[in-house]
Amino acid sequence: MPADLEIVEATPASAENPAPGAAAAAKAASHPCLGVTAAYGSTGCFQPYGDLVWSQDTESDGHSSVTVVHANYDRPDYACVNTGKAGSWGSCNKDYREDGDVRLTVLRYDMQDKKWYQPQATSDWVPVDGQ
C-alpha cells in the first residue's frame, strides 16, 4: 500500500448504523452491500445508499480488518480500518460521484506498527449508484 494512503478509523456498527447481513436484513434487501470481497481476516463491501464502505474483522489474530477504496476518477484512495474485535463490522462514510465506480481491496493492518498483512483480495468495479 502507498505510504501516503489516508487511514480512516471505521465507525462501529450499531442500531443506527447496522452492519450488512442478518442484523440488517430489511435494510440490506432494499440497499444491498455490493462488491463483497474477502481474504483471510477481512471482509469488505460497498453500500451505495449512503456511500458506506464496510469492513469486517473475521479472525481473532490481533490485526484490524481493512477495506481500501479505489475510485475510477480523480479521487485519492483511502483505507477504512475496523479496529473492533473479531466478528465486528465497521463503516466509513465518504461521498462519491454517482456516475463513478469503486473497487475494494481487503486485507489486515496493525495500527500500532503501521504494517499491512497479506493475503489481500480485490473486487471488480462496483457502480456507486448501485445500478
Side-chain angles (χ1 to χ4, degrees):
M1 291 292 132
D4 63 347
L5 183 68
E6 179 186 7
I7 306 291
V8 177
E9 192 164 339
T11 301
S14 65
E16 296 80 32
N17 184 37
K27 184 175 182 176
S30 59
H31 305 292
C33 208
L34 306 176
V36 176
T37 305
Y40 176 83
S42 188
T43 297
C45 62
F46 177 75
Q47 194 170 20
Y49 178 77
D51 292 353
L52 293 174
V53 174
W54 288 95
S55 185
Q56 181 189 30
D57 190 323
T58 61
E59 291 293 329
S60 183
D61 61 4
H63 300 299
S64 298
S65 64
V66 180
T67 302
V68 178
V69 184
H70 319 275
N72 71 341
Y73 59 93
D74 189 26
R75 181 190 181 110
D77 295 349
Y78 80 95
C80 179
V81 180
N82 174 15
T83 59
K85 294 179 180 181
S88 70
W89 284 91
S91 68
C92 296
N93 189 345
K94 296 266 190 172
D95 289 326
Y96 294 93
R97 286 190 349 211
E98 293 302 310
D99 64 343
D101 294 331
V102 295
R103 183 168 40 198
L104 311 174
T105 299
V106 297
L107 66 164
R108 296 169 300 137
Y109 183 67
D110 187 309
M111 291 286 279
Q112 280 188 320
D113 296 338
K114 301 191 182 332
K115 289 184 179 179
W116 303 95
Y117 290 89
Q118 301 289 335
Q120 69 182 35
T122 301
S123 73
D124 291 332
W125 288 103
V126 177
V128 172
D129 65 4
Q131 301 297 318

